Each structure stands twice: as C-alpha cells, then as structure tokens.
Amino acid sequence: MGFSDKMRETLGSVGARLTVMADDEGWAARVQPGETASAKIRIVGGTVPAKVEALVMRVITRHRHWTDGRGLALTDSQARELDDRRHLTPSWSREIIHEARVEVDRNLDAGEEQIVELAVEVPGHCDRTTTACTITLHAQADIRGQIDPTATGKLLVA
C-alpha cells in the first residue's frame, strides 16, 4: 500500500457512508411528542470491509432566535413585534434532547448496501416542528478502524 492509499485510509475516504432515508416529502419520520419514530438508515460499504458495531441516534432541536447589533437575543415572537427588523441577524440554538445507542453488530463488505430499521424515542418535552423550530434525527455509525460516518434526516413533530 502506497503513501497516498494509507493517507486516504487514515482520513476515512475508504469508509462506509450513511443515509437517513426519507419519505416522498423529505421527512425521515412523522411523530408526536412522546411517541416512537420509526427510521430507516442505509449503510453503504466503502472500499474495504467493515464491522458496524452500533448506531448512535440523536434527536436534535434547533430554535431560531434573533440578535441585534448590541448582542441582545430576541425570540421569534419578540422579533415579529418590532416595526423595523433590518438590524436583526438570525441565529440558531442547538440542543440534543435524546440520545440512544442501538447495537447493530453487522459485517459490511466493500460496496455492500444494508438497511437498518430502528425505533427512536421522541421525548414528550420535544417541541413541535415550525418555521422557527426544526427537529432532526442524527445517525452516527460506530465502525472500528474508520472515521464514524454520520447522516441527518428531518423529523416532523406535529
């Protein structure tokens, strides 16, 4: 194995890839707070065989807020009350509200594609999806000897 091959292997370019599969409208799952979301994760092998030990699943909420020139933070509703909003800059906060490790223990040949179906709990305190609040499902594969691939899908929490 030459230097460039070793470098690519070290940087993870030979590793597996993940995709959170979405429905026809682009949602990974549709769920109510406190329910369990069904998700499908596509794992595609890289150029070398791998063993997928687990998937770490995270439910992440992001809330939009606004900041003015002085650094003052305003909620979306507070910003809507202002007559002149030209001085405001949108920002997003990010919070992991649930994390679970799902043991997979699967061997993956080079180029092989596998689908893993799993259930992810959406906490009862999860906000609902709005224009100012997005909820995502983040998947990270635990693969020994490779950079752990990640993927994200949108959750519709209604």
Side-chain angles (χ1 to χ4, degrees):
M1 180 183 294
F3 175 76
S4 59
D5 293 330
K6 287 182 181 179
M7 185 62 99
R8 274 195 297 277
E9 184 177 340
T10 301
L11 294 175
S13 66
V14 299
R17 294 181 313 278
L18 292 185
T19 306
V20 176
M21 297 174 67
D23 65 13
D24 293 337
E25 296 177 25
W27 300 103
R30 298 164 189 260
V31 68
Q32 301 254 338
E35 291 183 349
T36 301
S38 297
K40 292 182 182 178
I41 310 299
R42 176 186 295 127
I43 308 169
V44 179
T47 58
V48 295
K51 180 171 182 166
V52 181
E53 295 180 7
L55 291 171
V56 178
M57 305 300 297
R58 296 177 183 93
V59 177
I60 300 172
T61 60
R62 295 181 62 217
H63 290 93
R64 182 177 61 202
H65 61 276
W66 301 87
T67 55
D68 66 4
R70 300 177 307 236
L72 179 65
L74 302 167
T75 65
D76 210 47
S77 60
Q78 289 171 328
R80 272 188 255 123
E81 293 174 3
L82 297 176
D83 292 329
D84 182 14
R85 295 185 287 270
R86 290 179 292 176
H87 65 288
L88 298 179
T89 304
S91 300
W92 290 86
S93 64
R94 178 181 184 270
E95 179 185 5
I96 298 171
I97 61 170
H98 180 72
E99 183 173 323
R101 180 180 173 92
V102 179
E103 298 301 323
V104 176
D105 196 33
R106 292 190 185 187
N107 291 315
L108 190 65
D109 291 330
E112 180 185 4
E113 179 179 311
Q114 293 186 17
I115 305 293
V116 177
E117 296 187 38
L118 46 87
V120 178
E121 180 184 331
V122 177
H125 67 275
C126 181
D127 293 326
R128 297 179 188 280
T129 302
T130 65
T131 56
C133 177
T134 62
I135 296 96
T136 55
L137 181 62
H138 181 268
Q140 180 177 6
D142 184 2
I143 302 174
R144 188 170 302 191
Q146 294 184 11
I147 294 175
D148 293 341
T150 61
T152 303
K154 299 184 296 185
L155 288 178
L156 176 60
V157 180

